[in-house]
Amino acid sequence: QVQLMESGGGLVQPGGSLRLSCTASRNIFRRNGMAWYRQAPGKQRELVASITSGGSTGYADSVKGRFTVSRDDAKNTAYLQMNNLKPEDTAIYLCHAKVVVSVEGAAVNHWGQGTQVTVSS
């Protein structure tokens, strides 16, 4: 069973930086893309950043220029570097991977437990 675990969250002042990590129990990011989502109080879970198996990245408009997603296949780990953090970035950040498990396209969605990011003075 694939397990994802996020780490790196915490309390930071506005303008500060954090780097989140998402480690998988086995190598899945090499063949599959992954994404970072966040869920803030009173809001739906939203896509923050993604990276494909080929390394292409995408970002929500609200974080473009501030966040960077990357991965290290040797470590089975993906990262989300967050710079110039704003109070509105406060949320639980979750790692997601959709793993295709059959030629027909069947897939399994994997989610981490989430890590809390709080941006406050």
Side-chain angles (χ1 to χ4, degrees), residues 53-75:
S53 60
S56 297
T57 59
Y59 301 91
D61 288 341
S62 60
V63 306
K64 286 181 179 178
R66 300 189 298 119
F67 290 10
T68 303
V69 62
S70 62
R71 72 174 191 267
D72 185 336
D73 292 334
K75 297 181 179 180

Side-chain angles (χ1 to χ4, degrees), residues 13-117:
Q13 294 185 344
S17 298
L18 286 173
R19 189 181 75 161
L20 306 183
S21 298
C22 173
T23 300
S25 58
R26 62 181 178 88
N27 192 327
I28 60 171
F29 300 142
R30 178 174 59 84
R31 295 181 180 179
N32 304 274
M34 66 82 58
W36 287 96
Y37 287 77
R38 68 185 180 188
Q39 188 163 26
K43 295 184 177 181
Q44 295 186 40
R45 185 173 297 176
E46 63 176 338
L47 177 64
V48 176
S50 64
I51 183 168
T52 69
S53 60
S56 297
T57 59
Y59 301 91
D61 288 341
S62 60
V63 306
K64 286 181 179 178
R66 300 189 298 119
F67 290 10
T68 303
V69 62
S70 62
R71 72 174 191 267
D72 185 336
D73 292 334
K75 297 181 179 180
N76 298 330
T77 301
Y79 305 94
L80 183 66
Q81 177 67 46
M82 306 184 295
N83 298 324
N84 191 24
L85 284 162
K86 304 175 180 180
E88 51 263 43
D89 294 319
T90 296
I92 295 175
Y93 284 73
L94 304 113
C95 178
H96 171 263
K98 186 176 183 179
V99 181
V100 177
V101 296
S102 75
V103 177
E104 297 177 343
V108 177
N109 289 291
H110 298 282
W111 293 91
Q113 296 298 309
T115 185
Q116 177 70 48
V117 172

Side-chain angles (χ1 to χ4, degrees), residues 5-16:
M5 184 173 68
E6 302 93 338
S7 63
L11 175 64
V12 65
Q13 294 185 344

